[in-house]
Amino acid sequence: MRLADVGRFASFVDMGGVQWTGRVARVRVLQVTEAGFTAGSEEFWGGWRHEVIDCAARTIAHAGFSSIRAGGREGPLSGDLRPAAAIPPGSADDAVARVVCDGRRPYAGVAVAESVEQAVAIGRPLIETGAEP
């Protein structure tokens, strides 16, 4: 998984899972939360955003989300495919599209994460400091 963006979340693109139809990519994006993130009484590492990105039109359609609890247990995919919308420049979605569509590597000095747990270990310190490595 390649780090695409750090802000409120650290967003990692599952490059091995990208499915192409022409210039349209179906992709999973791991959205890592800050340390100690809870919903209700459970702690979460983040979750998988499922996206459909049209690289030519520069649009994105959100296609569901599955949470990841601390320890790595994944929840079911929920949410339906939404209509495509323009990708806002400078957004996390823009960063993801640049990685997927353009091959951009904004955090070239950061190791490619081989697991969700490794992505959490890489992403959380970057969220805390707000600094690029």
Side-chain angles (χ1 to χ4, degrees):
M1 289 172 278
R2 183 172 298 146
L3 182 60
D5 186 63
V6 178
R8 180 172 178 220
F9 304 104
S11 299
F12 291 81
V13 176
D14 178 8
M15 297 301 293
V18 178
Q19 298 174 347
W20 289 97
T21 303
R23 292 289 296 146
V24 175
R26 292 187 74 81
V27 64
R28 290 190 319 166
V29 178
L30 178 61
Q31 187 171 288
V32 174
T33 62
E34 73 276 3
F37 179 88
T38 60
S41 61
E42 290 193 72
E43 184 176 347
F44 288 82
W45 282 352
W48 288 107
R49 291 179 16 221
H50 294 254
E51 310 290 359
V52 179
I53 301 171
D54 184 324
C55 294
R58 283 309 218 225
T59 61
I60 190 166
H62 301 289
F65 183 83
S66 59
S67 62
I68 303 173
R69 288 168 175 74
R73 187 173 55 132
E74 293 187 25
L77 179 63
S78 63
D80 296 323
L81 179 64
R82 296 181 191 165
I87 298 172
S91 67
D93 289 342
D94 185 38
V96 167
R98 288 174 185 241
V99 168
V100 173
C101 300
D102 307 331
R104 187 165 179 258
R105 296 185 66 144
Y107 297 89
V110 174
V112 172
E114 300 294 329
S115 68
V116 170
E117 188 171 10
Q118 188 178 22
V120 170
I122 292 168
R124 284 188 164 174
L126 297 174
I127 294 169
E128 288 176 20
T129 62
E132 188 170 327

